Amino acid sequence: MSSMSPADNLALEKALAIKPEEIIDEITESGLRGLGGAGFPVGRKWRTVREARSDKKFVICNAEEGEPGTFKDRYLIENFPEMVIEGVLIAMHAVGAKQSYIYLRREYGKGYESLKKAVRGFPPGLIKKFGSPEVTLWKGPGGYICGEESALIESISGRRAEPQSRPPYPTEAGLFGHPTLINNVETLANVPLIFNMGAEKYRESFKKIFCVSGDVKKRGIYKAAPGVTLRELVFNHADGMKSAKRFKLALVGGVSGRVFSSDDLDLKLDYELFGNGAIIVLDESRSLRDTILNIAEFFAEESCGKCAPCRQGTSRFEAILKRKYKNKDGSKDMEVLKLLSTVMKDTSLCGLGRTATNVFDDIVKKFGQEVLMTS
Amino acid sequence: MTVRITIDNKTVAAPEGSTILKTAANAGFDIPTLCHDQRVKALGVCRLCVVEVEGARNLVASCSAPVTEGMKIITNSRRVRASRKVILDLLLSDIDDGSSKSLRNTSMGAALKEYGVNRSSFPRTRSKIKIDRRGPLYAHDYDKCILCRRCVTTCETRIGRSVTGLTGKGNATRLATFGQAPLIETECEFCGACIDSCPTGALIENWRLKSPVWDRRVKSICTYCGTGCGIVANVKNGRITGVEGDPDHPVSRGDLCVKGRFAFDFVHHPDRLKTPMIRKRKGGKLQKASWDEALDFVARRLNEIKKESGPDSIAGVSSSRCTNEENYVMSRFMRSTIGTNNIDNCARVCHAPSVTGLAAAFGSGAATNSLEEIEGAEVIFLIGSNPQDAHPVISLKIKKAVNNGARLIIADPRKIWLTRYASIHLPLKPGSNMALINSMLNVIIEEGLIDEKFISSRTTNFEAVNEMAAAYPPEKVSRTTGVSAEDIRMAARLYASSKKSMILYGLGITEHTSGTSNVKALANLVMATGNVGRPSSGINPLRGQNNVQGACDMGALPNVFPGYQSVADKSVLAKFAKRYGTSLSGFVGLKTTEYYDVIEDGDLRALVIMAMDPASTDPNLNRVHAALSKLDLLVVMEIFETWTARMADVVLPAASFAEKDGTFTNAERRVQLFRKIIEPLKGVRPDWRIVLDIAERMGAPMPFSSPEEIWDEIAEMTPQFHGMDYERLEREKGLCWPCPDKNHPGSPVMYEVNFPNGLGKFNVIHDVPSKESPDEKYPFTLVTGRRLAHYNDGTMTRRSKGLMTICPHETIDINPDDAKMKRIKDGDLVRVVSRRGETLVKAKITNSSLPGRLFMSFHFEEPLTNVLTSEGKDELSGTPEYKVTAVRVEKAKNKPSVMR
Ligand code: SF4
Ligand code: SF4
Ligand code: SF4
Ligand code: FES
């Protein structure tokens, strides 16, 4: 991680020297895309907020890292808090926000402390040049849904953390009804690098953080350029499987991500595929049925309870998997689950319900529904 | 801007920003919904309304998604229908045993039926939720709750309360009151808007739990306040088993308040009077009698007294709680059968100054605009009125207006609930209205905010008023009203800032020695700013009882025939004399507030009272009681044994509103026809029938056999009603007068072109100090008024179990500082003493009473609040000053046994 060395605030100076519009041009030029999973071009998002007309704007750094198997944001805020804050300051300057929030996962006590220290460490003169912006560290109430942008906004506003229907998008009417830019920690931590290196060089050397966990020898954080294959990550970076057991599958993008079987080891992981960069590896000893059930339990627990298909669907999904089969081979239940999955995907209000059954769908597709009915 | 979209291959245009659901509905497409209630913001949580949108990966919730140019929508594909079915199935799985049976007659039930879901195919995962029956009027059957949140949003945004909220997440999400408190301990006002909104019956009226089915449903009009909300009553085995709002009603559109919705139990209460009673000799007992005996007795005595002492020794009291037809026959009875103009109605003690004051300004004495227009106002000036308690459905309209951006100015001596919606609250000293209003006019003139064009083209006498207003600079008025000069200025500027400024006022304006002048002062304000004759403007008295407007319109007044045609006008007199076939008196009769003087003098010997209870509602009751017992004959038509009925010589048991046909006229001049819900209870007769029976026995029968025939005579004799008949009233859901011919659509907005006398008249009025003022001995000012759960003398609402749970007894509302000073604790029994009488009442410590000011209602017989109030009268209208009574309070020593 040497390229992400603690900043000497060079990036801030550089960003200050140019107009906000030019910052946004630079970001656009750099090709930076959202690294929290959505992959949305960052420059475009900033520009929308910049151009939104309002006397008040906000920037929020999303550090509510609730996706199982994901720990990159924690790594960044604990080790490189200055870079995160620099990213926030530059974003605020670019979009014209005077207030910002760093929304931290409840469990990230250590990260909170390091951010606090880092905030204090900035030279006051420099901060003044930025118009003394306000950066608030905010501890979320806890819960997977708080990572969803609009739920996070609700939570800061003092309401139940629940996703809102869009439009309006947060970029139009976000926190307290004002245009709000929300970026993930990793995205913002990349911003100073762009100014340190220049957009072009940055683009060429960009590396995404992957969190590899599960049945591998060396679980951890690995950086790699988009286009890296799963094989490289698992067998080179993470040093292969933990025991003699063979690779069975990986959940790429966490429990709401996609399933890679051994046939997919050589697919190039780019923005469309890597999601947030979480890679959970399972070896051949793992029961697929248990995997599905664990994930189903997780989502039944974490559904915020707002929309009917997700609230009712996730818990029924769990219950059907747990109960005795309706017919001997379980095929009837499997049909019900497939229908349920389709409807949840098609009609849920937010991403949680829409992706809660991704892994189920992929396993059925790649391994056949029989593995779920028998094992 | 308009966008064009296609829905199921049909091209449809819609304004940009409107939702897919609304656009589709307007174009005739039917999309099912559960969580959507068009009265509140779309929630998008049930997802039943999903549709396919070309290019979108997922289905789209049509209730919350806006249309965009070129959108292609499919509302009913297999994919869409399959999804909807699964959603319904999922929701049903947590209800009851998963069968749709318990949802019959609900909108969810209808959707289940349409999608063929009779029994859920999914397992139930939510634990069973027990029904919460702790609510005094409705229950929470949350096992049926589908968490659509309509109730929560309705309560929060429409009603402005926060009674329930969500707890837990995932499948453990539940609705609950804070800390699971019973409803009675929450801020719930029992309006029932949440019940109306619930699509599953999870919120359910206690009556519906008892009688879920009915034989018939009948539309009628609420019997309580002058809003005139529409109700639908369920009838089973000849009894009213439940009441709901009428969604098609032009004023209330389905809304009701706690009284309208729940206080119908009085109709079948065992206390209803069912047998006539006669007191054969003074000092004797009231004894049961047959109708024949009673009517003969009344007819004979009236004839005797008339013969002995002349027609003017008899007087009648008509009623704002009775129908137009009844008020008309009562007036005609007094004028033609008895031969006197001694006829008045209970509006004398409430809105008579509105009639005189508004007539002096505009030439006609009624509200200038309709109630619906409140929702469209930009500025609302609410003075001397507490609609949150007295006219809750009007309050709802005010809240809606404010939610839409209107600014609210409140002038009231109390910190009434609605002040939380107000931009400015002027907490004026009781009785100082006119100075305040004149001072606002002063500012408007000083700062050049007048509408010169309106003043010059449509009014007269502005010059004089201009001069008058100069005597009321805010700094000076600030001293007499206790309102800061700056606030007076701000209120004046705000009021003058819009051409959609609407004045709403109540008895805090009229029940003063300066009542009529207060009304005139407000009318000056309206004309000076040109805020009359257009929608969402004007000056609008909020009528207390549901037919105050009608009782006056019908000529139940000592000086006018129906339609305010003067008895002193020869041609009018001749017209009515011809119709009645008898000669009529051209002398203006007595006002009810003058009756007692004349009784004391011995010149008034008999009183016929239709549905009024002056022995508890008139001021200075000790005197009233003495006077009433002096009468040679007191006849009372009533539904319950009121204080007045107990004093009567003859009591005639009358039918309630539910047992008769007729029309009521609400605060916006809307004449509304209603039909009887049930047959009259055994032994009772409708008031109109009783009056006709007496007239017949006195040898002067009137030619009517039904309310409709009575109406036809009213319409024939009164220009402003010429165009109204029962058939039209029924079809057009009521009509606002004036409606001069059959093709006339009625007049929600008055004076758009002209005032009846051509020009509007500015009136010079000067501050008349109230006849009551506090001194060392009586240092507090008592204001009287209404409480939400009760109505008038309380004879009806005190017989509703649920309402008595909400408000079981009277209190005197006292400011915390005053209470401290007097060492009074909440709930202490205190003695309240005025210059005329005293009473005992429990104290309630509340910030709604400002220091030095106390508040009581007059809904109870113990305490009898009106023993305290004074008869100080408005000179022109005779209306007493209920709103200012100097009193002292002290902690009572011994608890009398009568207090609960
Ligand atoms: S009855 Fe009215 S105040 Fe009470 S919870 Fe329902 S909506 Fe709210
Ligand atoms: S009680 Fe009724 S209205 Fe309220 S959330 Fe439940 S189902 Fe919806
Ligand atoms: S607001 Fe008035 S008319 Fe409407 S329901 Fe309540 S009491 Fe009846
Ligand atoms: S009606 Fe649209 S989501 Fe419920």
Side-chain angles (χ1 to χ4, degrees):
Chain A
M1 299 301 297
S2 57
S3 64
M4 278 198 181
S5 62
D8 47 14
N9 304 324
L10 192 68
L12 283 186
E13 302 274 8
K14 279 193 181 161
L16 258 188
I18 57 178
K19 287 206 233 94
E21 285 78 8
E22 290 169 332
I23 297 180
I24 295 174
D25 290 343
E26 191 76 4
I27 299 283
T28 309
E29 183 66 31
S30 77
L32 180 62
R33 292 168 66 173
L35 300 172
F40 192 82
V42 174
R44 223 198 292 164
K45 199 170 186 179
W46 287 26
R47 179 155 286 127
T48 315
V49 180
R50 166 95 213 151
E51 286 167 0
R53 281 211 264 176
S54 171
D55 51 345
K56 237 190 201 159
K57 288 174 191 177
F58 293 97
V59 168
I60 297 175
C61 170
N62 184 352
E64 171 59 64
E65 196 174 31
E67 185 70 44
T70 316
F71 36 83
K72 63 185 176 65
D73 296 346
R74 167 167 166 192
Y75 164 80
L76 286 172
I77 54 178
E78 284 179 6
N79 296 293
F80 307 98
E82 298 84 0
M83 306 203 45
V84 177
I85 291 164
E86 279 195 7
V88 170
L89 293 175
I90 295 174
M92 291 171 80
H93 187 58
V95 303
K98 287 266 162 287
Q99 279 169 284
S100 67
Y101 289 85
I102 299 179
Y103 189 99
L104 276 162
R105 186 169 173 184
R106 192 186 168 87
E107 292 83 359
Y108 286 0
K110 193 167 160 214
Y112 183 85
E113 292 308 322
S114 54
L115 280 169
K116 209 159 99 184
K117 217 164 109 206
V119 171
R120 296 212 188 104
F122 277 92
L126 187 61
I127 298 291
K128 219 168 169 185
K129 278 195 224 159
F130 269 88
S132 304
E134 217 176 86
V135 181
T136 308
L137 300 186
W138 189 275
K139 267 195 206 155
Y144 182 81
I145 199 64
C146 296
E148 201 278 344
E149 291 190 349
S150 57
L152 185 155
I153 288 178
E154 289 292 292
S155 158
I156 299 183
S157 333
R159 290 188 288 264
R160 258 173 86 86
E162 284 181 343
Q164 305 299 308
S165 0
R166 279 158 257 228
Y169 291 88
T171 47
E172 305 152 13
L175 188 57
F176 306 121
H178 298 289
T180 302
L181 172 73
I182 304 194
N183 277 139
N184 159 266
V185 171
E186 188 186 357
T187 314
L188 289 166
N190 265 280
V191 166
L193 297 181
I194 297 171
F195 290 91
N196 282 337
M197 304 182 194
E200 204 172 324
K201 181 129 176 280
Y202 169 85
R203 187 170 26 195
E204 282 159 14
S205 59
F206 167 72
K207 291 220 167 80
K208 160 80 186 131
I209 300 180
F210 290 91
C211 306
V212 185
S213 64
D215 301 331
V216 292
K217 247 188 219 132
K218 281 163 61 189
R219 304 172 186 177
I221 295 270
Y222 301 104
K223 289 198 70 189
V228 65
T229 63
L230 188 59
R231 188 183 299 282
E232 286 171 75
L233 285 169
V234 173
F235 291 97
N236 299 351
H237 294 270
D239 215 12
M241 302 300 288
K242 192 167 60 185
S243 59
K245 299 195 186 92
R246 277 185 312 186
F247 173 94
K248 185 163 188 175
L249 58 83
L251 308 179
V252 176
V255 294
S256 61
R258 314 268 30 161
V259 174
F260 280 48
S261 70
S262 51
D263 295 344
D264 307 321
L265 277 168
D266 293 313
L267 286 180
K268 286 187 183 316
L269 295 178
D270 52 26
Y271 285 96
E272 279 65 41
L273 287 179
F274 61 58
N276 63 355
I279 294 179
I280 303 171
V281 180
L282 302 184
D283 70 25
E284 58 183 345
S285 70
R286 303 285 180 166
S287 145
L288 291 179
R289 192 182 158 79
D290 286 352
T291 305
I292 296 292
L293 184 56
N294 287 340
I295 294 176
E297 280 173 353
F298 175 79
F299 282 114
E301 175 77 25
E302 294 299 337
S303 163
C304 79
K306 182 169 180 176
C307 77
C310 174
R311 179 188 67 241
Q312 304 293 106
T314 50
S315 56
R316 246 77 5 192
F317 208 88
E318 178 194 352
I320 292 171
L321 280 168
K322 277 187 174 161
R323 77 179 175 195
K324 246 184 101 210
Y325 292 141
K326 280 273 170 184
N327 63 338
K328 217 163 139 226
D329 64 358
S331 56
K332 275 198 178 147
D333 286 10
M334 206 44 65
E335 287 316 306
V336 175
L337 291 179
K338 284 198 273 189
L339 176 62
L340 200 47
S341 170
T342 314
V343 172
M344 284 165 64
K345 213 174 261 340
D346 231 3
T347 64
S348 288
L349 174 66
C350 84
L352 190 151
R354 288 183 199 151
T355 58
T357 54
N358 276 353
V359 171
F360 168 84
D361 289 348
D362 281 3
I363 286 183
V364 169
K365 198 155 72 201
K366 297 195 176 183
F367 297 85
Q369 66 181 47
E370 297 72 26
V371 290
L372 296 179
M373 297 181 331
T374 51
S375 49
Chain B
M1 240 193 41
T2 305
V3 297
R4 303 186 78 75
I5 64 170
T6 58
I7 304 177
D8 296 346
N9 294 322
K10 183 174 161 193
T11 309
V12 175
E16 201 179 3
S18 65
T19 62
I20 298 177
L21 182 69
K22 197 166 168 205
T23 312
N26 287 345
F29 294 94
D30 195 21
I31 297 177
T33 61
L34 280 177
C35 71
H36 183 65
D37 181 330
Q38 51 193 353
R39 294 168 289 194
V40 295
K41 144 177 154 251
L43 301 168
V45 304
C46 76
R47 318 302 284 177
L48 192 67
C49 66
V50 287
V51 295
E52 261 182 71
V53 174
E54 195 181 86
R57 192 155 24 124
N58 304 314
L59 297 179
V60 170
S62 60
C63 67
S64 31
V67 291
T68 53
E69 180 63 42
M71 215 177 215
K72 287 201 170 63
I73 291 158
I74 302 170
T75 63
N76 229 353
S77 63
R78 266 186 63 189
R79 177 179 168 209
V80 165
R81 288 190 67 88
S83 295
R84 290 182 188 154
K85 186 165 176 178
V86 169
I87 290 170
L88 287 166
D89 192 341
L90 281 169
L91 288 169
L92 185 59
S93 61
D94 276 338
I95 296 175
D96 211 11
D97 61 353
S99 98
S100 63
K101 270 212 278 330
S102 64
L103 297 170
R104 233 183 274 144
N105 298 327
T106 67
S107 45
M108 167 115 172
L112 288 169
K113 197 160 167 208
E114 192 198 327
Y115 281 80
V117 187
N118 296 319
R119 175 165 283 285
S120 173
S121 62
F122 291 107
R124 176 171 181 138
T125 63
R126 177 166 77 175
S127 45
K128 182 100 185 126
I129 308 172
K130 261 186 52 203
I131 183 167
D132 180 350
R133 293 173 186 268
R134 292 175 300 169
L137 293 167
Y138 70 96
H140 288 155
D141 188 4
Y142 280 155
D143 204 52
K144 294 202 184 76
C145 175
I146 56 166
L147 296 161
C148 73
R149 304 164 179 225
R150 286 169 67 156
C151 56
V152 179
T153 321
T154 295
C155 187
E156 271 176 18
T157 58
R158 296 190 63 223
I159 312 304
R161 308 248 176 195
S162 172
V163 174
T164 56
L166 292 139
T167 67
K169 64 178 180 180
N171 206 45
T173 311
R174 301 274 187 282
L175 279 187
T177 55
F178 190 74
Q180 314 274 350
L183 267 179
I184 193 83
E185 286 168 24
T186 68
E187 57 171 354
C188 178
E189 61 177 73
F190 300 96
C191 64
C194 53
I195 306 174
D196 267 353
S197 179
C198 180
T200 65
L203 301 174
I204 181 162
E205 304 93 334
N206 289 351
W207 60 256
R208 200 187 299 272
L209 286 168
K210 255 195 270 159
S211 21
V213 291
W214 49 81
D215 305 331
R216 289 181 295 124
R217 311 196 75 203
V218 187
K219 287 194 179 193
S220 184
I221 303 297
C222 173
T223 184
Y224 292 102
C225 82
T227 312
C229 299
I231 62 169
V232 186
N234 297 339
V235 181
K236 172 114 184 120
N237 299 332
R239 290 174 72 93
I240 304 180
T241 54
V243 162
E244 291 172 72
D246 174 4
D248 301 326
H249 191 269
V251 180
S252 55
R253 286 190 234 112
D255 287 318
L256 289 177
C257 74
V258 61
K259 293 184 284 279
R261 193 183 293 272
F262 293 109
F264 57 86
D265 22 356
F266 77 89
V267 174
H268 296 288
H269 196 280
D271 289 354
R272 275 288 299 276
L273 298 174
K274 294 195 191 94
T275 322
M277 285 184 292
I278 308 178
R279 192 189 314 272
K280 293 239 167 74
R281 53 181 176 81
K282 281 281 157 193
K285 261 195 174 161
L286 270 174
Q287 281 169 339
K288 288 192 176 164
S290 71
W291 271 102
D292 278 337
E293 282 175 272
L295 291 168
D296 281 341
F297 182 85
V298 173
R300 176 168 57 81
R301 291 295 290 134
L302 285 174
N303 271 334
E304 283 166 8
I305 293 170
K306 181 175 162 185
K307 206 152 150 211
E308 290 159 20
S309 311
D312 289 336
S313 63
I314 301 172
V317 180
S318 199
S319 176
S320 311
R321 290 151 96 166
C322 287
T323 66
N324 286 327
E325 292 74 6
E326 290 168 333
N327 277 287
Y328 180 76
V329 288
M330 181 71 183
S331 313
R332 178 171 162 172
F333 169 76
M334 290 309 296
R335 294 200 161 100
S336 70
T337 311
I338 305 288
T340 175
N341 281 315
N342 288 343
I343 172 71
D344 204 355
N345 80 86
C346 41
R348 180 63 55 207
V349 291
C350 71
H351 264 299
S354 297
V355 179
T356 13
L358 294 174
F362 305 136
S364 172
T368 57
N369 293 68
S370 70
L371 297 170
E372 188 180 19
E373 294 166 47
I374 296 172
E375 295 174 9
E378 288 171 354
V379 178
I380 295 169
F381 181 21
L382 180 72
I383 178 163
S385 167
N386 179 16
Q388 177 65 23
D389 283 353
H391 305 90
V393 171
I394 291 180
S395 183
L396 211 56
K397 291 182 190 297
I398 296 174
K399 293 176 205 172
K400 185 168 173 193
V402 174
N403 287 343
N404 290 341
R407 310 277 302 271
L408 175 64
I409 307 166
I410 292 182
D412 201 289
R414 302 167 68 205
K415 195 155 176 255
I416 55 174
W417 191 88
L418 267 180
T419 51
R420 68 193 65 194
Y421 280 77
S423 301
I424 307 176
H425 173 213
L426 311 171
L428 77 171
K429 214 179 91 200
S432 66
N433 296 282
M434 195 201 311
L436 178 81
I437 303 165
N438 279 354
S439 186
M440 284 174 68
L441 184 63
N442 172 297
V443 175
I444 287 170
I445 294 172
E446 283 295 310
E447 303 193 0
L449 305 173
I450 54 171
D451 183 338
E452 285 180 28
K453 204 172 136 224
F454 186 90
I455 293 172
S456 62
S457 64
R458 298 204 46 189
T459 69
T460 66
N461 206 30
F462 179 68
E463 278 321 306
V465 162
N466 193 358
E467 216 167 280
M468 165 203 82
Y472 295 86
E475 274 68 23
K476 183 176 138 201
V477 169
S478 166
R479 287 194 292 277
T480 48
T481 58
V483 177
S484 80
E486 203 32 45
D487 281 355
I488 298 176
R489 288 211 167 82
M490 268 166 45
R493 287 176 199 139
L494 190 53
Y495 175 73
S497 70
S498 172
K499 283 281 177 253
K500 283 189 170 179
S501 287
M502 200 162 181
I503 294 181
L504 307 175
Y505 72 88
L507 304 184
I509 281 292
T510 56
E511 288 180 349
H512 284 291
T513 46
S514 55
T516 301
S517 303
N518 290 342
V519 174
K520 288 180 184 165
L522 285 173
N524 286 343
L525 219 52
V526 162
M527 288 185 287
T529 55
N531 261 314
V532 62
R534 55 171 85 241
S536 297
S537 71
I539 169 169
N540 303 282
L542 305 184
R543 309 304 187 127
Q545 311 205 47
N546 80 339
N547 205 29
V548 178
Q549 183 68 52
C552 297
D553 295 346
M554 291 303 119
L557 294 171
N559 58 338
V560 289
F561 286 104
Y564 308 96
Q565 305 174 74
S566 171
V567 296
D569 181 326
K570 290 262 156 48
S571 62
V572 168
L573 205 60
K575 176 171 95 175
F576 281 92
K578 185 163 165 234
R579 192 69 174 83
Y580 296 172
T582 169
S583 67
L584 296 172
S585 161
F587 296 106
V588 171
L590 297 169
K591 306 182 178 93
T592 56
T593 43
E594 291 164 345
Y595 287 179
Y596 307 115
D597 294 336
V598 189
I599 295 172
E600 279 165 7
D601 293 346
D603 293 338
L604 189 54
R605 295 180 54 203
L607 210 52
V608 182
I609 300 181
M610 177 169 88
M612 192 196 172
D613 184 15
S616 61
T617 59
D618 270 358
N620 194 6
L621 284 181
N622 292 334
R623 179 192 179 204
V624 171
H625 293 169
L628 290 179
S629 27
K630 231 188 135 217
L631 285 167
D632 290 323
L633 178 67
L634 175 59
V635 180
V636 173
M637 307 172 211
E638 255 304 347
I639 60 175
F640 287 114
E641 190 193 282
T642 58
W643 200 296
T644 313
R646 284 199 289 273
M647 302 186 69
D649 300 298
V650 184
V651 180
L652 302 169
S656 74
F657 86 108
E659 300 146 56
K660 56 195 174 192
D661 292 340
T663 58
F664 286 136
T665 308
N666 73 350
E668 59 175 9
R669 296 169 275 105
R670 181 181 299 274
V671 180
Q672 311 199 77
L673 175 65
F674 64 96
R675 298 296 190 179
K676 72 177 161 215
I677 303 172
I678 51 170
E679 287 305 318
L681 303 192
K682 203 155 167 273
V684 311
R685 296 186 184 178
D687 300 84
W688 62 269
R689 185 77 259 168
I690 299 173
V691 176
L692 294 184
D693 288 345
I694 299 173
E696 189 175 332
R697 278 162 213 253
M698 287 180 72
M702 284 187 235
F704 308 118
S705 62
S706 72
E708 183 165 10
E709 288 174 19
I710 303 171
W711 177 263
D712 288 340
E713 181 169 304
I714 299 166
E716 175 203 322
M717 301 302 287
T718 321
Q720 72 205 45
F721 300 123
H722 277 349
M724 296 185 192
D725 55 48
Y726 268 26
E727 195 259 322
R728 263 195 91 183
L729 290 173
E730 184 132 57
R731 182 162 34 90
E732 301 181 38
K733 302 197 174 91
L735 287 164
C736 296
W737 65 255
C739 176
D741 61 65
K742 294 271 185 231
N743 298 318
H744 193 284
S747 315
V749 183
M750 297 261 263
Y751 320 133
E752 282 180 296
V753 186
N754 260 321
F755 293 104
N757 302 340
L759 296 178
K761 182 167 178 253
F762 280 95
N763 286 288
V764 174
I765 61 258
H766 276 294
D767 207 5
V768 191
S770 74
K771 300 216 167 72
E772 276 277 297
S773 53
D775 57 18
E776 241 162 65
K777 212 166 155 212
Y778 303 98
F780 287 94
T781 307
L782 173 72
V783 176
T784 66
R786 259 195 207 176
R787 298 193 191 276
L788 173 65
H790 288 289
Y791 176 76
N792 206 265
D793 63 351
T795 42
M796 285 141 76
T797 47
R798 279 189 279 110
R799 289 186 168 84
S800 161
K801 208 170 125 224
L803 270 72
M804 281 304 273
T805 316
I806 301 169
C807 181
H809 55 75
E810 179 58 350
T811 57
I812 186 159
D813 300 355
I814 180 167
N815 182 273
D817 291 345
D818 290 340
K820 214 162 137 201
M821 189 177 75
K822 290 268 153 199
R823 298 226 171 77
I824 292 169
K825 287 196 299 296
D826 202 82
D828 275 357
L829 194 63
V830 298
R831 182 184 311 280
V832 192
V833 188
S834 81
R835 296 182 178 115
R836 287 154 297 276
E838 61 173 79
T839 187
L840 290 166
V841 58
K842 280 186 179 169
K844 180 169 135 198
I845 300 181
T846 161
N847 279 315
S848 68
S849 278
L850 297 174
R853 301 175 192 169
L854 306 166
F855 177 81
M856 281 175 81
S857 79
F858 52 95
H859 301 309
F860 291 83
E861 288 195 348
E862 288 160 15
L864 204 51
T865 306
N866 281 317
V867 297
L868 302 168
T869 48
S870 92
E871 287 169 285
K873 281 185 224 137
D874 172 39
E875 258 173 52
L876 287 161
S877 65
T879 298
E881 183 150 66
Y882 286 100
K883 300 291 181 184
V884 188
T885 305
V887 297
R888 67 167 182 270
V889 282
E890 58 208 24
K891 212 165 139 174
K893 287 187 196 82
N894 28 8
K895 223 180 173 122
S897 54
V898 286
M899 292 291 301
R900 255 159 300 169

